[in-house]
Amino acid sequence: MSALKWQGWLVGLMGLAGLLVFAPLGLYVWASGGAAVPPPQPDVRVTSCRVDPASHRVAATVEATVGERGEGSYVITVEFRDRRTPGPATRTSQSLVRVPGLAPGSPSYAEAIGPPWPPGATPWCGVAGVETG
């Protein structure tokens, strides 16, 4: 009977040791598992939209500015169309522009190059999306 008594104590002590080791780890995982706050999105606008005379491709200059707490790199999707409001069958071209190291208080500029543009057609350029990257 004394062997059963020692086995009971041993199981109890092993359970207590397991709690002492794994409880803080579990609390750490639980506490750090909160939703991460995404960085604020920059204010992005197209400052110029033109057809390059040499290559006949449409080009857009993009300006990105971020607030006081937003730093980082962003990927901007620029869209090229022949009309400001697209029709139901309008196909658009898109270009990705990466703006690395955007710092608060100073705007960054990037150039988006689109497809070859037909002569006589006026292009429209706009921001289709902004992602962190």
Side-chain angles (χ1 to χ4, degrees):
M1 185 127 141
S2 71
L4 284 174
K5 192 175 185 181
W6 279 106
Q7 285 178 352
W9 276 100
L10 187 60
V11 169
L13 286 175
M14 293 297 282
L16 183 62
L19 280 175
L20 289 175
V21 170
F22 292 110
L25 179 64
L27 284 174
Y28 173 75
V29 169
W30 175 74
S32 66
V37 177
Q41 293 295 313
D43 185 26
V44 179
R45 66 187 184 106
V46 174
T47 58
S48 73
C49 182
R50 66 203 175 287
V51 176
D52 182 49
S55 67
H56 302 289
R57 289 182 172 273
V58 65
T61 303
V62 179
E63 177 186 86
T65 317
V66 72
E68 294 176 8
R69 296 183 303 138
E71 290 186 47
S73 298
Y74 295 91
V75 177
I76 302 166
T77 305
V78 180
E79 187 174 65
F80 305 100
R81 297 193 300 246
D82 60 350
R83 286 186 278 168
R84 179 175 221 115
T85 53
T90 303
R91 293 183 60 194
T92 62
S93 297
Q94 294 183 343
S95 177
L96 297 176
V97 176
R98 188 165 193 270
V99 181
L102 191 58
S106 61
S108 291
Y109 296 93
E111 192 78 17
I113 305 298
W117 208 253
T122 304
W124 178 87
C125 307
V127 176
V130 178
E131 297 178 14
T132 58

